[in-house]
Amino acid sequence: MDAFENTVQRLREAFSSGRTRPAAFRVAQLEGLGRFLRENKQQLQDALAQDLQKSAFESEVSEIAISQSEVDLALRNLRAWMKDQKVPKNLATQLDSAFIRKEPFGLVLIIAPWNYPLNLILVPLVGAIAAGNCVMLKPSEISKSIEKILAQVLPRYLDQSCFAVALGGPEETTRLLEHRFDYIFFTGSPRVGKIVMAAAAKHLTPVTLELGGKNPCYVDDNCDPQTVANRLAWFRYFNTGQTCVAPDYVLCSQEMQERLVPALQNAITRFYGDDPRSSPNLGRIISQKHFKRLQGLLRCGRVVIGGQSEENNLYIAPTVLVDVQETEPVMQEEVFGPILPLMTVRSLDEAIDFINHREKPLALYAFSNNSQVVKQVLARTSSGGFCGNDGFMHLTLASLPFGGVGTSGMGSYHGKFSFDTFSHHRACLLRSPGMEKINDFRYPPYSPRNLRVLLMAMEERSCSCTLL
Amino acid sequence: MSNKCATKGADPEPMLGTEPFEDTVQRLREAFKSGRTRPAAFREEQLEALGRFLREKQELLYEALAQDLQKSPLNSDISEIILCQNEVDLALKNLKTWMKDKPASNNLLTKLDSAFTRKEPLGLVLIIAPWNYPVNLTLVPLIGAIAAGNCVILKPPEISKRIEKVLTEVLPQYLDQSCFAVVPGGPEESQKMLQHKFDHIFFTGSARVGKIVMAAAAKHLTPVTLELGGKNPCYVDDNCDPQTVANRLAWFRYFNTGQTCVAPDYVLCSQEMQERLVPALQNAITRFYGDDPRSSPDLGRIISQRHFKRLHELLSCGRVVIGGQSDEDDLYIAPTVLVDVQETEQVMQEEVFGPILPLMTVRSLDEAIDFINRQEKALALYVFSNDSKVVNQVLDQTSSGNFGGNDGFLYMTLPSLPFGGVGKSGMGRYHGKFSFDTFSNHRACLLAPSGLEKLNEVRYPPYSYQAQKFLRWAMRSHSCTLL
């Protein structure tokens, strides 16, 4: 009997009561979420500043506005998403009602990380609520200020019989995972992703795992170095590099590298000034542990930009490394910090080969004025998401599914994809109780004639639809 | 190692030697890396070859299915061969459409970009199939995996021995063997296979083994589709025509000798209804299988001694009102109906998976729904009633993989419906386009212009309040709400 037993039980009972099913209930919760974001905006920005030294701008753009946007999208589309989806029929079922019904799974567990602690817990929550589930939220204990607001303030905006926030570290999370859930949504590292999936396997619980990896970024010779450097730098150093979809390392030719480095310096100076440490637009590393890890990476290759660090302040300067070896730590683990290693390759083929020798990443980037080059990289590699000539803008489009592949994850969400992720799609066929004579031909004793009629009935109506 | 498809109509040749499994995995991975399976032409070729396999080896398949399960040719046709043929045809007809990039709507920030979802193969897929519909449940997933551009290792069911032989020795001759392999084996071999890394594992079988598969997949972060089972409830309302219901119920229960994951597993009805249903069921059974079902060519046999013994035990639950005969030498169990069964008896504790139908009485619709909801979510759920409100009430107040109103699993013939379980009955789905989607990576793609850098100025630091407001507004604009 542990701390979570009662809560899990309570939420299950609430789900069984049918409380979360009506659209009106879901709408009320989503509106509550919207009010939570609006009424506590200042506190949320303060908490994000405390935890990660996020600027108001970054908090707005990557946490608050994105969450608000998802709430609004769900409110606008909820009824359409909830509708039974009719499907094309064959001859045997012409007179029947055939459709897909979306149903909630039941009790959903959402485990969120610390790097976008608001976004990565609220956006899945929007989907789970819209789909009619009860939800147990497990925010990261590392982003403490946000955790506090989620635990103490958020519940006031939701129906607390159906939603709960669980607190704790790895030990508590392990205990939480022993319970049975109807869906588990996890954002975090591949290492913990395996643990989550193994725990889910014991109960045959389906999962969505949003993991990470090393996101390659190919920079072609045919490009404008300053444009590329601007884009690269923005997406790399945003949130102090602590972004699962940030460009992790660059592959380019020696010549390109020589043009890129000064351009990157320009971009960094432009964005953060001559003394990035005093820029209000640069954040800090989340914890001692990660700071030490990143400090270690500063010893890899050769520092050409930045390289400064200060432990008391959890500060790491926007850094660029060159001459890195594949075997060094900075090329072995996900950087997840404001350090950008550049690796030289002799050709596009070599770059693609290098990429394909490694695990499939969450994101992949290619910069080139030549769209054929971009398309080639796209065609010859695989990843969760891909962006040509920019960073992770694809994230902002709720019409694109956001998720990984291979060790970078499984499943996807955002927008309607969230609703679908947290729904069971139940195939339904409603037939008439009468007209039994029509069924005669399918009953034994069987004759060749029976078969002919049956087969014809099973054929798909050629005109109905090829776009299933 | 021969790569191309064998000549049509060749006599079955046994596989020369057995390659160590690691080597098969390695070889197929290299084939995938080479890009061989990507072009539409290759996929179409393999699908067409599958179609030829079904047509040219039809007699061989009938024979094997008759030997393993005593399936009648009609059963083999509608639930195995023709069903697979339909899926092949559907995939061939729609492949290019399914493969197309799917455009996505933009917001203001990405207005000048090209946004779309690209379907890509996952890589190396493992398909593990069961014995009850051994052709269907091996080939239909295979069709999806091929259409999606993957390489595939098939593990056919070892319990249906003749089919296993045909799939292992004959099927590969039709496919490009550098990209597809059939690896036979029992539970021990399966365990060893599961230690390897695959890019998707598609498993049809019991929940018990499903957990083992998912746990093995977790070690490699391999996504899985699990088509499992359970006890599929069937509620029969007082307001119905007993003979119509009995016909439909009996047909779906005794088809394939009851060895069907979506068959109605038990009936819930009132005492009065039961009294009308039993004679109607007897009528249906006599009509379908004659006075001596044992001599009917349309009734199959139990797959193995082990399952026979299991089912034989279930015959002592409750009270036999129809059938109840069995013959071990023949692996024969008569189409049987049981009444007065207790919830705690074996027949109500495990999936029946045989030609035995227990009837349980309830006092109301609410009690039936309550009973259903206290059990694990089933793969299928059935309701029979003249009153559509009753049908809809059960639909609304329960959950299951699939749902049939006033009939059995006819929905299986509609590839436009996703086929899959929920909760203990499974995760993921397939058939038709759902198969293609299951075996694909849906890659979110955004192609931005390399120039027009001035437009991006607004997002760069040093951050200004104006920029913040603009970005917030731009992110929330959507050209289309129907995603």
Side-chain angles (χ1 to χ4, degrees):
Chain A
M1 197 47 170
D2 62 30
F4 304 118
E5 181 86 37
N6 286 335
T7 312
V8 170
Q9 184 62 20
R10 181 167 63 75
L11 262 44
R12 281 210 170 282
E13 270 156 24
F15 182 76
S16 292
S17 78
R19 209 185 165 87
T20 56
R21 312 293 293 256
F25 175 88
R26 307 182 202 191
V27 165
Q29 302 311 300
L30 292 170
E31 284 171 346
L33 258 185
R35 278 195 318 274
F36 164 73
L37 288 166
R38 281 190 304 275
E39 291 172 15
N40 296 283
K41 188 159 143 167
Q42 192 54 57
Q43 292 94 303
L44 290 168
Q45 282 180 338
D46 292 344
L48 291 164
Q50 269 163 18
D51 285 340
L52 289 140
Q53 204 158 314
K54 261 194 230 240
S55 61
F57 181 94
E58 286 194 5
S59 296
E60 176 75 66
V61 154
S62 67
E63 301 259 30
I64 297 170
I66 254 182
S67 304
Q68 187 68 62
S69 180
E70 286 273 343
V71 168
D72 294 343
L73 194 78
L75 281 169
R76 255 199 329 264
N77 294 288
L78 184 65
R79 286 191 161 86
W81 292 348
M82 282 175 71
K83 273 211 183 91
D84 288 341
Q85 191 189 325
K86 291 197 160 63
V87 301
K89 299 179 280 197
N90 58 21
L91 205 64
T93 49
Q94 265 317 294
L95 303 170
D96 307 332
S97 178
F99 57 93
I100 300 170
R101 165 152 308 181
K102 328 304 172 52
E103 299 181 339
F105 280 109
L107 177 54
V108 169
L109 171 64
I110 296 173
I111 303 175
W114 50 261
N115 59 332
Y116 292 87
L118 199 61
N119 171 347
L120 299 178
I121 207 165
L122 292 190
V123 174
L125 178 60
V126 167
I129 289 177
N133 299 282
C134 284
V135 188
M136 178 90 108
L137 290 173
K138 166 72 193 69
S140 169
E141 74 284 8
I142 300 181
S143 41
K144 291 210 155 319
S145 318
I146 283 288
E147 185 198 33
K148 192 154 184 238
I149 298 185
L150 291 172
Q152 294 176 1
V153 182
L154 175 62
R156 289 187 233 144
Y157 290 80
L158 300 171
D159 182 331
Q160 293 189 50
S161 67
C162 304
F163 305 99
V165 181
L167 302 177
E171 220 181 271
E172 286 79 10
T173 306
T174 305
R175 255 180 267 138
L176 190 56
L177 285 169
E178 282 165 13
H179 290 270
R180 180 179 172 183
F181 293 92
D182 301 305
Y183 205 95
I184 298 177
F185 187 101
F186 170 79
T187 307
S189 71
R191 185 188 68 84
V192 180
K194 290 180 183 180
I195 296 172
V196 172
M197 190 171 172
K202 296 203 168 91
H203 297 290
L204 287 171
T205 298
V207 299
T208 291
L209 305 175
E210 298 272 330
L211 310 177
K214 292 185 73 59
N215 306 318
C217 179
Y218 174 70
V219 179
D220 194 35
D221 283 357
N222 178 2
C223 73
D224 170 50
Q226 194 56 63
T227 297
V228 173
N230 290 348
R231 297 177 187 188
L232 207 37
W234 193 61
F235 287 100
R236 170 71 282 184
Y237 305 115
F238 191 92
N239 203 33
T240 333
Q242 297 163 121
T243 306
C244 53
V245 281
D248 186 276
Y249 65 95
V250 168
L251 294 168
C252 63
S253 68
Q254 184 64 43
E255 304 76 50
M256 190 61 228
Q257 185 177 286
E258 281 158 26
R259 296 160 72 204
L260 201 54
V261 171
L264 282 165
Q265 180 67 76
N266 281 346
I268 289 169
T269 304
R270 170 187 166 177
F271 294 170
Y272 309 111
D274 291 313
D275 177 27
R277 196 163 170 268
S278 57
S279 164
N281 299 312
L282 185 65
R284 293 296 182 262
I285 306 307
I286 183 70
S287 68
Q288 283 282 338
K289 177 172 151 231
H290 279 280
F291 174 87
K292 289 198 153 77
R293 181 183 65 78
L294 288 162
Q295 204 178 39
L297 300 187
L298 291 171
R299 293 194 288 271
C300 301
R302 182 167 57 91
V303 173
V304 288
I305 300 174
Q308 300 88 354
S309 63
E310 191 186 316
E311 188 159 351
N312 295 341
N313 197 215
L314 297 179
Y315 168 76
I316 302 229
T319 298
V320 174
L321 306 173
V322 298
D323 301 342
V324 294
Q325 299 303 315
E326 204 180 328
T327 46
E328 294 185 87
V330 78
M331 286 307 293
Q332 289 293 315
E333 59 181 71
E334 187 174 352
V335 173
F336 223 69
I339 298 169
L340 182 65
L342 310 187
M343 275 196 71
T344 52
V345 287
R346 283 159 303 186
S347 64
L348 173 60
D349 283 342
E350 197 183 309
I352 289 175
D353 219 51
F354 183 89
I355 290 169
N356 286 340
H357 268 108
R358 309 168 79 95
E359 295 293 350
K360 293 175 196 170
L362 189 52
L364 213 156
Y365 303 103
F367 285 87
S368 177
N369 285 336
N370 183 349
S371 69
Q372 287 313 308
V373 169
V374 171
K375 289 187 172 139
Q376 237 200 96
V377 178
L378 172 59
R380 291 166 61 188
T381 60
S382 188
S383 62
F386 177 92
C387 194
N389 288 313
D390 212 355
F392 45 83
M393 285 310 285
H394 59 279
L395 262 198
T396 68
L397 272 188
S399 53
L400 283 174
F402 180 64
V405 64
T407 46
S408 60
M410 57 183 76
S412 64
Y413 73 124
H414 282 186
K416 181 172 190 278
F417 300 103
S418 300
F419 179 87
D420 286 339
T421 285
F422 291 109
S423 301
H424 167 57
H425 293 235
R426 191 181 192 186
C428 303
L429 187 64
L430 305 187
R431 314 206 70 205
S432 159
M435 296 195 285
E436 180 60 356
K437 280 251 148 279
I438 297 182
N439 286 330
D440 278 356
F441 61 82
R442 73 182 186 193
Y443 297 141
Y446 297 134
S447 73
R449 191 174 155 276
N450 286 35
L451 181 61
R452 273 198 303 280
V453 177
L454 263 177
L455 293 182
M456 198 182 65
M458 273 167 66
E459 248 175 77
E460 199 205 336
R461 296 283 277 166
S462 52
C463 58
S464 45
C465 192
T466 53
L467 304 166
L468 289 176
Chain B
M1 181 69 78
S2 99
N3 284 348
K4 283 324 267 177
C5 306
T7 53
K8 302 179 201 181
D11 282 330
E13 276 177 21
M15 291 275 279
L16 299 167
T18 337
E19 190 179 39
F21 190 71
E22 302 75 53
D23 291 355
T24 309
V25 171
Q26 182 64 18
R27 185 164 63 76
L28 262 47
R29 281 211 171 280
E30 270 156 24
F32 181 75
K33 275 212 183 103
S34 77
R36 209 186 165 92
T37 56
R38 312 290 295 254
F42 175 87
R43 307 183 202 189
E44 279 165 355
E45 208 179 86
Q46 302 307 302
L47 291 170
E48 281 163 357
L50 257 184
R52 278 198 317 276
F53 166 74
L54 290 166
R55 281 190 304 275
E56 292 171 11
K57 298 303 166 188
Q58 196 178 72
E59 286 307 315
L60 195 62
L61 290 168
Y62 280 151
E63 249 174 66
L65 289 165
Q67 279 171 348
D68 284 342
L69 289 142
Q70 204 156 316
K71 274 197 213 230
S72 62
L74 184 132
N75 174 338
S76 298
D77 269 336
I78 67 174
S79 69
E80 303 256 30
I81 296 167
I82 305 300
L83 201 126
C84 292
Q85 188 66 64
N86 282 354
E87 285 271 348
V88 166
D89 294 343
L90 194 77
L92 281 168
K93 199 162 82 186
N94 294 290
L95 185 65
K96 293 199 158 82
T97 307
W98 293 348
M99 282 175 71
K100 275 208 180 96
D101 289 340
K102 185 169 172 213
S105 71
N106 296 43
N107 60 19
L108 212 65
L109 286 178
T110 51
K111 257 283 158 267
L112 300 171
D113 310 336
S114 172
F116 55 93
T117 303
R118 168 161 300 188
K119 325 312 166 48
E120 302 177 337
L122 293 164
L124 178 56
V125 168
L126 172 66
I127 295 172
I128 302 175
W131 52 262
N132 59 333
Y133 291 89
V135 178
N136 174 346
L137 299 177
T138 311
L139 296 190
V140 174
L142 177 62
I143 290 163
I146 290 177
N150 300 282
C151 284
V152 187
I153 293 183
L154 281 177
K155 202 210 88 47
E158 77 283 6
I159 298 183
S160 46
K161 291 223 152 312
R162 275 64 152 211
I163 279 293
E164 184 196 38
K165 193 160 194 262
V166 176
L167 293 173
T168 306
E169 294 175 5
V170 182
L171 175 63
Q173 294 171 28
Y174 286 79
L175 300 172
D176 183 331
Q177 293 188 49
S178 67
C179 304
F180 306 101
V182 182
V183 182
E188 216 182 277
E189 286 81 7
S190 297
Q191 291 267 35
K192 275 189 224 138
M193 277 186 209
L194 287 169
Q195 285 168 15
H196 293 265
K197 177 174 176 176
F198 295 92
D199 300 302
H200 194 99
I201 299 176
F202 188 100
F203 170 79
T204 307
S206 70
R208 187 188 67 83
V209 180
K211 289 181 184 179
I212 296 171
V213 171
M214 190 172 173
K219 296 202 168 89
H220 298 288
L221 287 171
T222 298
V224 299
T225 297
L226 305 175
E227 298 272 331
L228 310 175
K231 292 183 73 58
N232 307 318
C234 179
Y235 174 69
V236 180
D237 194 34
D238 283 356
N239 178 4
C240 72
D241 170 49
Q243 193 57 61
T244 297
V245 174
N247 290 348
R248 298 177 187 191
L249 206 38
W251 194 66
F252 286 100
R253 170 71 284 183
Y254 304 115
F255 189 89
N256 204 37
T257 333
Q259 297 161 123
T260 307
C261 53
V262 282
D265 187 276
Y266 64 94
V267 168
L268 295 168
C269 64
S270 68
Q271 183 65 44
E272 303 76 52
M273 190 62 227
Q274 186 178 284
E275 282 158 23
R276 296 159 72 203
L277 201 54
V278 170
L281 281 165
Q282 179 67 76
N283 281 346
I285 289 169
T286 305
R287 169 184 167 181
F288 295 170
Y289 309 110
D291 291 311
D292 177 27
R294 192 144 175 254
S295 56
S296 163
D298 299 322
L299 185 65
R301 293 296 183 264
I302 306 307
I303 183 71
S304 68
Q305 281 282 339
R306 185 177 136 236
H307 278 281
F308 174 88
K309 286 192 156 82
R310 181 184 66 77
L311 287 163
H312 191 259
E313 298 258 317
L314 301 187
L315 292 171
S316 14
C317 299
R319 181 166 57 89
V320 173
V321 287
I322 299 175
Q325 300 87 353
S326 63
D327 181 348
E328 186 160 352
D329 293 327
D330 197 24
L331 297 179
Y332 168 76
I333 303 229
T336 298
V337 175
L338 306 173
V339 298
D340 301 341
V341 293
Q342 300 303 314
E343 202 181 329
T344 47
E345 292 186 87
Q346 199 56 27
V347 77
M348 287 306 292
Q349 290 292 316
E350 62 179 63
E351 188 174 352
V352 173
F353 222 69
I356 299 169
L357 182 65
L359 311 187
M360 273 194 73
T361 52
V362 287
R363 282 159 304 186
S364 65
L365 173 59
D366 283 340
E367 195 183 308
I369 289 176
D370 217 54
F371 182 88
I372 289 169
N373 286 339
R374 274 189 285 118
Q375 321 296 322
E376 293 294 346
K377 292 175 195 170
L379 187 52
L381 212 156
Y382 302 102
V383 180
F384 287 87
S385 176
N386 285 336
D387 185 353
S388 69
K389 279 199 231 66
V390 169
V391 173
N392 279 296
Q393 193 178 331
V394 180
L395 173 59
D396 290 344
Q397 294 180 18
T398 61
S399 188
S400 63
N402 314 281
F403 181 90
N406 286 312
D407 211 352
F409 47 83
L410 195 67
Y411 52 78
M412 296 285 285
T413 68
L414 261 191
S416 53
L417 282 174
F419 180 63
V422 65
K424 292 257 154 47
S425 59
M427 57 182 76
R429 73 267 186 92
Y430 73 124
H431 283 185
K433 180 174 191 278
F434 300 104
S435 302
F436 179 88
D437 286 341
T438 284
F439 293 110
S440 300
N441 173 32
H442 297 243
R443 191 180 193 187
C445 302
L446 192 63
L447 305 185
S450 57
L452 300 172
E453 182 60 355
K454 280 249 149 282
L455 292 178
N456 286 330
E457 302 280 304
V458 70
R459 69 189 188 188
Y460 296 142
Y463 297 133
S464 75
Y465 185 61
Q466 272 73 14
Q468 194 174 318
K469 277 180 72 176
F470 172 75
L471 271 176
R472 186 171 69 225
W473 173 76
M475 275 168 59
R476 292 174 61 179
S477 66
H478 271 271
S479 38
C480 182
T481 52
L482 301 169
L483 294 174

